[in-house]
């Protein structure tokens, strides 16, 4: 499953540089699939949706850092555990029960994001 940042976030910035998928954004920052990934132009997501990888999308939070579920792989294929959770000083990076995925799905998403 993806990781989510809860409202307990203190906006310390510790997690953002740890994410190998560039899935973490500052409050009120627009995001795109192409940010620090191999994606560009129209792409099909692993779950079958066509999206414009270069399009700027609305921020998911305007109060605290947030994680884009479509870009979060729980660091599978990079690390043994989600790095955002390991560095968060207030334990606000937790499993996102609304985005449950198998390890196989997370690894497929990693390959999709990075053109592997």
């Amino acid at each position: 499953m993806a990781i989510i940042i809860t409202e307990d976030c203190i906006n310390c910035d510790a997690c953002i540089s740890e994410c190998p998928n560039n899935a973490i954004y500052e409050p009120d920052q627009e995001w795109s699939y192409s940010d620090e990934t191999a994606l560009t132009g129209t792409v099909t997501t692993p779950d079958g949706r066509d999206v414009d990888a270069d399009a700027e999308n609305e921020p998911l939070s305007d109060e605290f850092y947030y994680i884009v579920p479509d870009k979060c792989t729980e660091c599978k294929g990079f690390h043994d555990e989600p790095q955002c959770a390991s560095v968060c000083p207030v334990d606000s990076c937790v499993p996102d029960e609304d985005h449950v995925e198998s390890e196989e799905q997370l690894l497929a998403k990693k390959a999709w994001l990075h053109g592997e």
Side-chain angles (χ1 to χ4, degrees), residues 2-56:
I3 304 297
I4 191 170
I5 298 176
T6 69
E7 62 189 24
D8 295 331
C9 176
I10 58 172
N11 295 325
C12 72
D13 203 343
C15 61
I16 203 163
S17 63
E18 297 297 324
C19 183
N21 300 311
N22 198 48
I24 303 173
Y25 292 84
E26 294 179 16
D28 218 22
Q29 180 184 1
E30 292 183 337
W31 66 273
S32 72
Y33 288 96
S34 65
D35 292 335
E36 303 297 320
T37 70
L39 304 175
T40 187
T42 300
V43 297
T44 302
T45 64
D47 64 3
R49 295 175 289 122
D50 288 333
V51 297
D52 179 352
D54 302 309
E56 293 291 321

Side-chain angles (χ1 to χ4, degrees), residues 33-95:
Y33 288 96
S34 65
D35 292 335
E36 303 297 320
T37 70
L39 304 175
T40 187
T42 300
V43 297
T44 302
T45 64
D47 64 3
R49 295 175 289 122
D50 288 333
V51 297
D52 179 352
D54 302 309
E56 293 291 321
N57 298 284
E58 291 293 316
L60 302 182
S61 172
D62 61 359
E63 297 176 34
F64 46 85
Y65 282 72
Y66 65 90
I67 298 174
V68 175
D70 282 350
K71 293 179 73 175
C72 179
T73 64
E74 291 184 35
C75 294
K76 295 292 183 192
F78 294 104
H79 304 285
D80 292 334
E81 64 182 352
Q83 295 301 286
C84 57
S86 71
V87 300
C88 183
V90 294
D91 297 326
S92 69
C93 298
V94 299

